[in-house]
Structure formats: C-alpha cells, structure tokens
Amino acid sequence: MKKHISVAMPNFLGNEKKYVQDCMDTVWISSVGKYIAEFEAAFSSKFGAEYAVSCSNGTVAIHLALLALGIGPGDEVLVPSFTYIASANAVRYCGATPVFCDCLADTWGIDVEDARKKVGPRTKAIMPVHLYGNPCDMKAVMAFASEYDLKVVEDAAECHGAEFDGKKAGTIGDIGTFSFFGNKIITTGEGGMVVTNNKSLDDKVRLLKGQGMDPERRYWFTEVGYNYRMTNIQAAIGLAQLEDMERHIEARQNIAKRYDALFSGRKSVQKQQQTRGAESVCWMYSLLLTDNAKITRDALMEKLDEDGIETRPLFYPMHSMPPYYNEKAGCPVSEDIAARGLNIPTHELLSSEDVAYIAGTILNYTE
Ligand SMILES: *Cc1c(COP(=O)(O)O)cnc(C)c1O
C-alpha cells in the first residue's frame, strides 16, 4: 500500500469515549448538560483566566469577542495579513474593517512597528494571532495598545497552552479566543472558547451566544443574539482532551525537536523562530525554502505528495485574496513568507521513522 502521512491528526488518550458515552446514556446531547460547565471551568482554571465561555467554533469565538468589545460599523481593527481567514472575516461580520499589518520575518508574529503606521482615528482594537503555536511578542503588543488606547483580542486558535512571559497566550489581552477544530492541539470536532478576566465581557459573550436571552428571565430577549452554542457532546470530548493537554503538547514539542535536529545547519531550509520570552507549542512545524533550495515550494509540495507526505502551503496573505484584495496593503514580509513556506506533518502519531523519512525526503529535493 502507498505510504500516506497526514499533515494533522487528532489523538485521543483518555476519557473521550467514556464521557461521550455518558452523554448518550443520560441523553444530554444538545447544548445543555454538565460537560459544558465542567469544560469551561476546567479551561479557565488551567489557563489562569477568570472566565471561559464555550461556543460552536473558533471563528464565532472571535466574532463574539469583537461584539462584546463593542466593535461595529465604522471601526477598524488591526489584523495581521499573514493569518487564517477567520481572523479577518470575524471583523467583517461586525461591519468593521480589518486593516492589515505585516508580520515579523523571523517569528511571523504581528509587526507592531507596521501597526504603528496603520493605526488611525477609527482604530479600536488590535488582534495578535499566535501563528502555528508560537505566541506573538505580547509585551510589544500590550505597550502599543496602551499607547493608542486599543483593545487587544488574541486569536489563540493555534496555540493552546503556549506561554509568553509565563502567562498563557490568549489570557494576556482583554479577551482571547481558541478553536477546537479537528486539526488543532486539542479538539472537540468543531468548537471554540472565549476567555477573559473581565466579568462584563464574559456576561456579554454568554448573552450573545444564546440568542440574547435575558439570564434572569427565560424566553425574554434583550437584543439580537446568535445561536453560537457548543453541544454537551463536544464539551465532553473537550474536557477529556483538556485533561491530557500537557501530554499532547509534549508530544508535539518532541516531534519539533526531532525536526530541528534534522534540519539544523541546512542551507536550503529555514524554520519559524520562537518569539523571545515565549514557549511555542508547535502546532504546525513550518519551513521556508531559502534561495539555496534547488526546487520551488509548489514543486516540492507536489513531489512530497507523490511520496505520500501531505503538506500545506503557509497561509496566503489576506490582502492577496478576493474578499480583501488590496495591492497597497504594504505587507511585503507576509508576501515573501507565504510564497516560500510550507507546513509539514506535525502530529502525535508520527513515529521517529516517519519524522526522519519526511525530513530526509524534503532535504533530498531541496539540496
Ligand atoms: C482554526 C483557526 C481559526 C478558526 O477556527 P474554526 O474553529 O475553524 O472556526 C481562527 N484563527 C486561526 C488563526 C485559526 O488557525
């Protein structure tokens, strides 16, 4: 049989089946049930945030966070161009405008100096996105935000458990969001979480995700809300995944260390650098091809596919795609990285032989 190595795979180590079985046995399968509250409580305590609210996915988590901050039509939000499209789309859902900032060439986090050129009278918030498991320089982001009186929404969809200055990414700004899509560090199939230390933001997110229903008066709606709820089954899976989060992260960090050793000193490839003061959780091991590489990125991906190794291109810059097309975005680093980079398989079920095969095959084509 032809070899096939997926770029991402979920891994179930603990109580997932048992908790799901419990949902079935007790018939609490919809968005009411004990696992919702347990998952939220366990998440806030593990992450060191006062409040955590579950929701149906990571995209609506960002939407809820922005709405809770009062972002609306006429407002601008500073968003990296080099990100997953959900970060920008959520801004649009609010009727606000994402203003794209460039990223740093080494860590790929939002470039605060570029944000400084793009901040204006309508700017209300900045959204650092902790890409591929590596936290942004939150010290720089927080200082910038306080200088311009901006709210900080952390898109932490790709970095559960990563830390900056000893604090969990996603809990440093005003509000942070997570995704539990099937390829993320911990998963619920589809799912999301909003975390904050601010009670009124927590209240607002809870109100909005449940159709705007008054918490004191059932079936009385105080504003137009949404059905953005998570199910008890999703929360059951999430709670089990969260119980083992450290093991999931350690397994990924071990894979990344193996890759590091195999790629170190090679002139044809360059890896994403960890932010100073941060600990990455290595969601996706990511490489750039340098000028020394003997093959283009797209040709390499095709060759690897023939060899049974699935890869992904790095995110296309937001300003290069139809919904946000803008020739004058001024994000040259994002364009450069996006054109030269790829994500290679990073998941817990890779054996050391798989990792050696993947790295060896890549270097065979690039050197
Ligand atoms: C996955 C992801 C999201 C969205 O999460 P979904 O659960 O797929 O809606 C948002 N931002 C980033 C950076 C992501 O990687």
Side-chain angles (χ1 to χ4, degrees):
M1 207 179 83
K2 194 172 169 250
K3 201 176 179 72
H4 179 78
I5 303 177
S6 305
V7 77
M9 293 265 269
N11 192 22
F12 306 117
L13 296 168
N15 289 319
E16 286 87 350
K17 260 192 194 159
K18 183 175 144 203
Y19 293 167
V20 169
Q21 185 70 47
D22 184 40
C23 295
M24 304 300 290
D25 292 344
T26 58
V27 303
W28 290 105
I29 58 165
S30 198
S31 55
V32 180
K34 70 170 188 178
Y35 288 107
I36 300 280
E38 284 185 24
F39 183 35
E40 290 176 349
F43 200 92
S44 63
S45 107
K46 187 162 280 205
F47 280 70
E50 288 287 317
Y51 308 99
V53 192
S54 60
C55 58
S56 38
N57 59 61
T59 308
V60 308
I62 309 171
H63 188 199
L64 288 167
L66 293 167
L67 289 170
L69 290 172
I71 307 291
D75 295 338
E76 292 180 354
V77 179
L78 298 166
V79 177
S81 185
F82 186 50
T83 183
Y84 180 57
I85 194 146
S87 320
N89 282 351
V91 175
R92 275 278 176 85
Y93 300 162
C94 300
T97 305
V99 173
F100 295 114
C101 300
D102 212 353
C103 64
L104 299 166
D106 48 0
T107 63
W108 309 351
I110 190 165
D111 180 353
V112 168
E113 288 319 307
D114 191 52
R116 194 179 292 283
K117 294 180 200 150
K118 290 166 177 171
V119 67
R122 293 171 180 271
T123 313
K124 291 283 159 56
I126 181 168
M127 188 190 301
V129 182
H130 307 303
L131 274 190
Y132 305 129
N134 180 45
C136 296
D137 180 351
M138 286 305 291
K139 199 169 158 211
V141 170
M142 296 309 286
F144 173 78
S146 96
E147 189 179 338
Y148 290 94
D149 196 21
L150 305 178
K151 300 292 183 195
V152 178
V153 186
E154 294 179 73
D155 179 351
E158 304 181 352
C159 77
H160 313 65
E163 294 191 352
F164 181 84
D165 257 358
K167 275 194 197 151
K168 292 271 190 286
T171 68
I172 302 165
D174 294 281
I175 196 161
T177 65
F178 291 86
S179 163
F180 306 116
F181 184 66
N183 66 6
K184 300 287 158 88
I185 288 170
I186 58 173
T187 184
T188 62
E190 292 273 6
M193 193 74 82
V194 183
V195 301
T196 181
N197 291 317
N198 180 321
K199 171 128 192 2
S200 64
L201 291 178
D202 176 70
D203 288 345
K204 187 80 191 197
V205 169
R206 285 183 189 281
L207 185 82
L208 289 170
K209 85 162 195 181
Q211 302 282 24
M213 187 162 79
D214 189 334
E216 311 290 315
R217 190 173 174 196
R218 288 179 71 215
Y219 294 97
W220 182 259
F221 299 91
T222 56
E223 62 184 289
V224 176
Y226 303 82
N227 175 2
Y228 280 174
R229 296 182 297 258
M230 174 181 272
T231 68
N232 199 44
I233 298 176
Q234 291 168 304
I237 299 170
L239 179 63
Q241 289 265 290
L242 188 66
E243 287 168 353
D244 298 324
M245 186 174 79
E246 289 75 12
R247 285 164 71 197
H248 291 294
I249 292 171
E250 203 185 308
R252 282 174 185 280
Q253 288 174 330
N254 286 335
I255 300 275
K257 269 188 215 141
R258 289 212 177 94
Y259 276 133
D260 281 351
L262 293 160
F263 290 122
S264 95
R266 299 305 191 119
K267 295 215 161 51
S268 59
V269 294
Q270 211 180 322
K271 65 162 191 156
Q272 179 188 19
Q273 299 296 313
Q274 191 166 273
T275 301
R276 185 195 279 262
E279 189 188 359
S280 168
V281 286
C282 313
W283 176 54
M284 285 263 170
Y285 198 88
S286 310
L287 289 175
L288 299 181
L289 298 191
T290 69
D291 289 345
N292 295 312
K294 282 196 326 211
I295 189 168
T296 64
R297 192 271 310 269
D298 290 351
L300 173 65
M301 288 180 60
E302 227 165 87
K303 287 285 186 196
L304 292 172
D305 186 53
E306 287 164 17
D307 294 330
I309 301 170
E310 188 191 8
T311 58
R312 313 189 336 178
L314 296 190
F315 296 125
Y316 295 101
M318 294 301 108
H319 71 270
S320 69
M321 294 187 285
Y324 300 105
Y325 189 76
N326 178 4
E327 273 175 16
K328 298 197 183 87
C331 300
V333 178
S334 306
E335 288 170 13
D336 174 53
I337 288 172
R340 293 193 287 130
L342 71 163
N343 303 121
I344 66 175
T346 317
H347 60 78
E348 300 167 35
L349 302 172
L350 291 173
S351 64
S352 35
E353 290 76 33
D354 290 334
V355 172
Y357 171 70
I358 294 162
T361 308
I362 290 172
L363 290 170
N364 225 2
Y365 290 121
T366 57
E367 308 231 306

